[in-house]
PDB file of all heavy atoms in Angstrom:
ATOM      1  N   ILE A 335      20.184  -1.410 -38.220  1.00 97.00           N
ATOM      2  CA  ILE A 335      20.162  -0.479 -37.084  1.00 97.00           C
ATOM      3  C   ILE A 335      21.587  -0.256 -36.556  1.00 97.00           C
ATOM      4  O   ILE A 335      21.980   0.874 -36.243  1.00 97.00           O
ATOM      5  CB  ILE A 335      19.275  -1.018 -35.931  1.00 97.00           C
ATOM      6  CG1 ILE A 335      17.846  -1.256 -36.400  1.00 97.00           C
ATOM      7  CG2 ILE A 335      19.329  -0.117 -34.703  1.00 97.00           C
ATOM      8  CD1 ILE A 335      17.005  -0.043 -36.620  1.00 97.00           C
ATOM      9  N   LEU A 336      22.355  -1.330 -36.460  1.00 98.00           N
ATOM     10  CA  LEU A 336      23.720  -1.199 -35.939  1.00 98.00           C
ATOM     11  C   LEU A 336      24.554  -0.328 -36.880  1.00 98.00           C
ATOM     12  O   LEU A 336      25.333   0.520 -36.434  1.00 98.00           O
ATOM     13  CB  LEU A 336      24.358  -2.582 -35.745  1.00 98.00           C
ATOM     14  CG  LEU A 336      23.631  -3.517 -34.755  1.00 98.00           C
ATOM     15  CD1 LEU A 336      24.361  -4.853 -34.635  1.00 98.00           C
ATOM     16  CD2 LEU A 336      23.472  -2.881 -33.376  1.00 98.00           C
ATOM     17  N   ASP A 337      24.369  -0.526 -38.176  1.00 97.00           N
ATOM     18  CA  ASP A 337      25.081   0.310 -39.159  1.00 97.00           C
ATOM     19  C   ASP A 337      24.667   1.774 -39.033  1.00 97.00           C
ATOM     20  O   ASP A 337      25.492   2.679 -39.066  1.00 97.00           O
ATOM     21  CB  ASP A 337      24.784  -0.171 -40.593  1.00 97.00           C
ATOM     22  CG  ASP A 337      25.526  -1.468 -40.926  1.00 97.00           C
ATOM     23  OD1 ASP A 337      26.570  -1.728 -40.298  1.00 97.00           O
ATOM     24  OD2 ASP A 337      25.054  -2.232 -41.800  1.00 97.00           O
ATOM     25  N   ARG A 338      23.365   1.966 -38.891  1.00 96.00           N
ATOM     26  CA  ARG A 338      22.849   3.333 -38.793  1.00 96.00           C
ATOM     27  C   ARG A 338      23.387   4.042 -37.546  1.00 96.00           C
ATOM     28  O   ARG A 338      23.757   5.216 -37.583  1.00 96.00           O
ATOM     29  CB  ARG A 338      21.322   3.280 -38.764  1.00 96.00           C
ATOM     30  CG  ARG A 338      20.648   4.624 -38.748  1.00 96.00           C
ATOM     31  CD  ARG A 338      19.168   4.429 -38.981  1.00 96.00           C
ATOM     32  NE  ARG A 338      18.414   5.600 -38.580  1.00 96.00           N
ATOM     33  CZ  ARG A 338      17.320   6.032 -39.193  1.00 96.00           C
ATOM     34  NH1 ARG A 338      16.846   5.404 -40.213  1.00 96.00           N
ATOM     35  NH2 ARG A 338      16.681   7.089 -38.767  1.00 96.00           N
ATOM     36  N   ALA A 339      23.423   3.293 -36.429  1.00 98.00           N
ATOM     37  CA  ALA A 339      23.936   3.877 -35.185  1.00 98.00           C
ATOM     38  C   ALA A 339      25.393   4.298 -35.364  1.00 98.00           C
ATOM     39  O   ALA A 339      25.807   5.385 -34.937  1.00 98.00           O
ATOM     40  CB  ALA A 339      23.809   2.863 -34.045  1.00 98.00           C
ATOM     41  N   LYS A 340      26.157   3.446 -36.035  1.00 97.00           N
ATOM     42  CA  LYS A 340      27.574   3.753 -36.246  1.00 97.00           C
ATOM     43  C   LYS A 340      27.724   4.982 -37.159  1.00 97.00           C
ATOM     44  O   LYS A 340      28.480   5.915 -36.852  1.00 97.00           O
ATOM     45  CB  LYS A 340      28.269   2.544 -36.885  1.00 97.00           C
ATOM     46  CG  LYS A 340      29.769   2.707 -36.941  1.00 97.00           C
ATOM     47  CD  LYS A 340      30.433   1.478 -37.481  1.00 97.00           C
ATOM     48  CE  LYS A 340      31.941   1.726 -37.564  1.00 97.00           C
ATOM     49  NZ  LYS A 340      32.589   0.727 -38.380  1.00 97.00           N
ATOM     50  N   ALA A 341      26.958   4.982 -38.237  1.00 98.00           N
ATOM     51  CA  ALA A 341      27.062   6.083 -39.202  1.00 98.00           C
ATOM     52  C   ALA A 341      26.682   7.422 -38.564  1.00 98.00           C
ATOM     53  O   ALA A 341      27.292   8.449 -38.851  1.00 98.00           O
ATOM     54  CB  ALA A 341      26.160   5.793 -40.396  1.00 98.00           C
ATOM     55  N   ASN A 342      25.691   7.384 -37.685  1.00 97.00           N
ATOM     56  CA  ASN A 342      25.214   8.641 -37.081  1.00 97.00           C
ATOM     57  C   ASN A 342      25.844   8.922 -35.722  1.00 97.00           C
ATOM     58  O   ASN A 342      25.468   9.890 -35.056  1.00 97.00           O
ATOM     59  CB  ASN A 342      23.688   8.604 -36.927  1.00 97.00           C
ATOM     60  CG  ASN A 342      22.994   8.540 -38.265  1.00 97.00           C
ATOM     61  OD1 ASN A 342      23.554   8.942 -39.274  1.00 97.00           O
ATOM     62  ND2 ASN A 342      21.786   8.017 -38.297  1.00 97.00           N
ATOM     63  N   ASP A 343      26.744   8.040 -35.307  1.00 98.00           N
ATOM     64  CA  ASP A 343      27.408   8.172 -34.006  1.00 98.00           C
ATOM     65  C   ASP A 343      26.406   8.357 -32.855  1.00 98.00           C
ATOM     66  O   ASP A 343      26.532   9.273 -32.037  1.00 98.00           O
ATOM     67  CB  ASP A 343      28.404   9.344 -34.058  1.00 98.00           C
ATOM     68  CG  ASP A 343      29.356   9.297 -32.869  1.00 98.00           C
ATOM     69  OD1 ASP A 343      29.562   8.194 -32.313  1.00 98.00           O
ATOM     70  OD2 ASP A 343      29.873  10.366 -32.466  1.00 98.00           O
ATOM     71  N   VAL A 344      25.397   7.495 -32.857  1.00 98.00           N
ATOM     72  CA  VAL A 344      24.417   7.514 -31.764  1.00 98.00           C
ATOM     73  C   VAL A 344      24.375   6.115 -31.140  1.00 98.00           C
ATOM     74  O   VAL A 344      24.953   5.168 -31.679  1.00 98.00           O
ATOM     75  CB  VAL A 344      22.999   7.899 -32.261  1.00 98.00           C
ATOM     76  CG1 VAL A 344      22.969   9.328 -32.773  1.00 98.00           C
ATOM     77  CG2 VAL A 344      22.502   6.922 -33.343  1.00 98.00           C
ATOM     78  N   THR A 345      23.664   5.985 -30.042  1.00 98.00           N
ATOM     79  CA  THR A 345      23.579   4.663 -29.422  1.00 98.00           C
ATOM     80  C   THR A 345      22.668   3.775 -30.276  1.00 98.00           C
ATOM     81  O   THR A 345      21.798   4.279 -31.002  1.00 98.00           O
ATOM     82  CB  THR A 345      22.994   4.728 -27.989  1.00 98.00           C
ATOM     83  OG1 THR A 345      21.622   5.113 -28.078  1.00 98.00           O
ATOM     84  CG2 THR A 345      23.751   5.719 -27.125  1.00 98.00           C
ATOM     85  N   THR A 346      22.865   2.481 -30.155  1.00 98.00           N
ATOM     86  CA  THR A 346      22.054   1.547 -30.946  1.00 98.00           C
ATOM     87  C   THR A 346      20.582   1.648 -30.526  1.00 98.00           C
ATOM     88  O   THR A 346      19.687   1.544 -31.355  1.00 98.00           O
ATOM     89  CB  THR A 346      22.551   0.103 -30.736  1.00 98.00           C
ATOM     90  OG1 THR A 346      22.583  -0.180 -29.338  1.00 98.00           O
ATOM     91  CG2 THR A 346      23.941  -0.082 -31.318  1.00 98.00           C
ATOM     92  N   ASN A 347      20.354   1.887 -29.228  1.00 97.00           N
ATOM     93  CA  ASN A 347      18.985   2.004 -28.743  1.00 97.00           C
ATOM     94  C   ASN A 347      18.309   3.218 -29.368  1.00 97.00           C
ATOM     95  O   ASN A 347      17.167   3.152 -29.824  1.00 97.00           O
ATOM     96  CB  ASN A 347      18.977   2.121 -27.215  1.00 97.00           C
ATOM     97  CG  ASN A 347      17.616   1.838 -26.640  1.00 97.00           C
ATOM     98  OD1 ASN A 347      17.181   0.695 -26.608  1.00 97.00           O
ATOM     99  ND2 ASN A 347      16.913   2.880 -26.227  1.00 97.00           N
TER     100      ASN A 347
END
Side-chain angles (χ1 to χ4, degrees):
I335 302 286
L336 300 181
D337 286 335
R338 184 170 163 145
K340 189 176 178 195
N342 296 336
D343 194 25
V344 295
T345 68
T346 54
N347 197 73

